[in-house]
Amino acid sequence: MTSPALVSFEHLCRLTDDVGLFEHARFTQPRPEHGYCVDDVARGLVVVARQPGADPTTARLSQTYLRFLGAAQDPDGRFHNRLSVTGRWTDHPGVDDCWGRALWGLGTAAARAPWLGDEPLARFEAGARHRSPSLRSMVFGALGAADVLQRHPEHRPARSLLADAAHRVSGMPQATPGRTGAAVVRAVSAGTTASWPWPEPRLHYANAAIPEVLIAAGSLLDEPRWTAEGLGLLRWLLDVETRGDHLSVTPVGGWAPGEPRPGFDQQPIEVAALADACARASDVTGDVAWQRALVSCAAWFEGANDGGVAMCDAASGGGYDGLEALGRNENQGAESTLAMLTTFQHLTRLLVTAS
């Protein structure tokens, strides 16, 4: 297993300039021509805010990422996503995944990065007044709300957003409609059965964030049914995404019953979402089975995967962009690097706690 001392922000610094975090790389070199996106900058803020003990590197990165998210947020709290290298936003602000991930990053920073002051919480509050029709957008934002509640347990906007997202997944009765006009309803397929309990007709991306939000909501909002439902969904997902003695995660095109496995291209973000969810399940239950699952997530990056190849580069500090049928994508972009870093952060915390 990788030593925590080998987890490095070197490549993340290489991908970051004074504006933000470049989305793509050619091998280890940033590709500025592809610009920046809020999705990755928000993930970056989550990772650096989670790092225990601020140092000059994480403080500088977090300030850069917060400044970028501030520029991306429009006056009513929605977010642009894509910024060109020339400094032009190429999309309209909205409440898609970038909105949810921005709230996740801001909520995590508000809870864990006191050196950033009051701005992260104020920006979280401005964005949390909205609701998205997208299940994952809601889930991502609610994970930020869960972090806010770790520090401010009675924070009403965070409690409301977390509850609304959990209702979307679980289908527990709810009296309050969504903030942007659409009623908050269960995002569940009519074909859900005991053998397919998943609240969608197929698995997509960052799947484990869905049960994680139920586990978080159940523990923070005192709804044991949500906790039990989230733990059950996470166990089911781990069974589906395990092949023999290693993880075999959902490929980029998704997966549904009857489709072949293993599938490629497997993305590191799927493993990172599993690591996040297993770490939360371990914290909530104390069950060592979740700790073993977390170790499997880290092992996936080290070669315990369907390709038998390492998905992390100890020399550069980067993560490879995808596991393919004949090897790996050798590029080391922002999403994959951050997925590796957050997984090893959880492993480090586990090893430190156990020592």
Side-chain angles (χ1 to χ4, degrees):
M1 192 60 58
T2 294
S3 163
L6 296 180
V7 178
S8 158
F9 290 106
E10 179 182 353
H11 189 56
L12 191 61
C13 289
R14 185 180 298 117
L15 294 175
T16 303
D17 67 1
D18 291 339
V19 174
L21 176 60
F22 289 117
E23 182 177 8
H24 294 297
R26 175 66 172 165
F27 302 120
T28 61
Q29 295 306 305
R31 301 191 68 180
E33 67 272 21
H34 293 285
Y36 318 84
C37 70
V38 162
D39 284 325
D40 287 335
V41 171
R43 292 185 188 105
L45 186 55
V46 169
V47 167
V48 295
R50 281 177 174 173
Q51 189 67 8
D55 60 31
T57 296
T58 54
R60 176 180 62 82
L61 291 171
S62 63
Q63 289 160 358
T64 298
Y65 300 157
L66 177 60
R67 186 168 58 248
F68 186 96
L69 294 182
Q73 190 174 31
D74 78 351
D76 84 342
R78 302 168 194 256
F79 285 87
H80 294 277
N81 190 25
R82 298 194 174 278
L83 182 71
S84 73
V85 74
T86 61
R88 182 176 64 87
W89 294 104
T90 62
D91 57 2
H92 297 292
V95 290
D96 297 326
D97 278 8
C98 66
W99 165 83
R101 288 199 175 99
L103 293 188
W104 189 357
L106 293 166
T108 302
R112 307 194 193 196
W115 61 87
L116 292 175
D118 297 331
E119 184 179 355
L121 185 59
R123 293 198 175 280
F124 172 87
E125 290 170 349
R129 68 169 65 103
H130 297 290
R131 297 293 181 267
S132 175
S134 162
L135 177 63
R136 272 172 183 69
S137 300
M138 286 291 292
V139 163
F140 296 148
L143 291 174
D147 260 359
V148 169
L149 292 175
Q150 297 280 5
R151 186 170 181 185
H152 306 286
E154 300 306 317
H155 191 273
R156 292 182 65 182
R159 292 179 70 88
S160 176
L161 178 58
L162 181 57
D164 284 353
H167 280 294
R168 283 283 295 273
V169 176
S170 173
M172 287 178 65
Q174 164 175 258
T176 306
R179 297 300 188 274
T180 52
V184 178
V185 296
R186 181 173 177 140
V188 69
S189 165
T192 298
T193 65
S195 62
W196 186 263
W198 196 251
E200 299 171 305
R202 66 186 289 113
L203 296 173
H204 293 288
Y205 60 96
N207 291 291
I210 291 174
E212 184 187 356
V213 86
L214 283 176
I215 298 167
S219 62
L220 292 165
L221 302 180
D222 194 24
E223 287 284 1
R225 174 181 158 182
W226 278 339
T227 303
E229 187 177 352
L231 292 170
L233 276 180
L234 183 56
R235 289 190 193 97
W236 177 87
L237 181 64
L238 273 169
D239 286 345
V240 169
E241 297 199 320
T242 298
R243 181 170 176 251
D245 61 354
H246 64 268
L247 291 180
S248 177
V249 298
T250 301
V252 70
W255 183 80
E259 296 178 4
R261 298 292 294 268
F264 300 96
D265 163 20
Q266 293 178 26
Q267 296 288 295
I269 186 178
E270 183 68 12
V271 181
L274 277 173
D276 281 345
C278 290
R280 189 177 298 273
S282 174
D283 289 343
V284 168
T285 68
D287 188 339
V288 296
W290 300 117
Q291 298 173 11
R292 290 194 293 268
L294 176 54
V295 170
S296 294
C297 294
W300 184 91
F301 282 96
E302 298 184 304
N305 53 50
D306 287 319
V309 296
M311 295 298 295
C312 57
D313 183 349
S316 71
Y320 294 104
D321 276 356
L323 181 65
E324 300 173 348
L326 299 178
R328 65 191 176 203
N329 184 327
E330 295 288 337
N331 298 326
Q332 298 177 21
E335 179 184 288
S336 53
T337 294
L338 290 164
M340 178 205 69
L341 288 172
T342 197
T343 301
F344 284 145
Q345 281 178 321
H346 288 308
L347 177 67
T348 299
R349 184 165 70 95
L350 175 61
L351 295 177
V352 169
T353 301
S355 64

